[in-house]
Amino acid sequence: MKILMLSKDENLIKTMIGTLNPEENSFSIVNDIEDPLDIMSTVCSSSPSVLIADDDYLRPNTSRILHSIKKVNPNLTTVFFTSDSTIELGREILPIGIHFYSIKPISEQECKGLIQSFSKLKQRTN
């Protein structure tokens, strides 16, 4: 499974890397692009199975970027992490088609469950 992560959060990246099986998953991180159009272009051109988006990296363009990505690839499994616990953000993001929404930090056990659910979802769609 091809997983693309948009984040600069070292703890989140470390947790995700620690739970992934490199024999079953390809994992890429984008954390050096600032322009929203370039972020969208990178995601669309890499065609991941799963997109892990960190609001803290994408802010203030989070909803715009995710909405544009989902327009191009509506079946993309999308995971969303944020440190913002306001209900307003949830109301803005969830209608875009997020499969998993979590407030950081996330435990390694939660990450393992998340990765396992991706695998099961992929098996069902194949």
Side-chain angles (χ1 to χ4, degrees), residues 45-100:
S45 67
S46 66
S47 301
S49 304
V50 177
L51 174 66
I52 300 173
D54 182 355
D55 176 49
D56 300 337
Y57 174 64
L58 299 175
R59 193 178 298 140
N61 300 304
T62 303
S63 62
R64 193 172 111 220
I65 292 170
L66 293 178
H67 185 63
S68 296
I69 290 169
K70 291 298 265 189
K71 271 187 177 178
V72 173
N73 190 350
N75 297 322
L76 177 63
T77 301
T78 307
V79 176
F80 183 78
F81 291 105
T82 185
S83 57
D84 182 347
S85 61
T86 63
I87 196 158
E88 290 81 15
L89 179 62
R91 285 184 182 145
E92 181 180 345
I93 295 298
L94 286 175
I96 295 172
I98 303 300
H99 292 85
F100 182 82

Side-chain angles (χ1 to χ4, degrees), residues 1 8 17 20 26 39 42 47 52 66 102 112 122:
M1 180 170 38
K8 286 185 178 181
I17 290 173
L20 291 172
S26 147
I39 292 171
T42 300
S47 301
I52 300 173
L66 293 178
S102 181
K112 285 180 184 178
K122 185 167 173 72

Side-chain angles (χ1 to χ4, degrees), residues 8 31-39 57 61 65:
K8 286 185 178 181
N31 60 11
D32 59 348
I33 303 173
E34 300 296 324
D35 183 82
L37 186 57
D38 289 342
I39 292 171
Y57 174 64
N61 300 304
I65 292 170

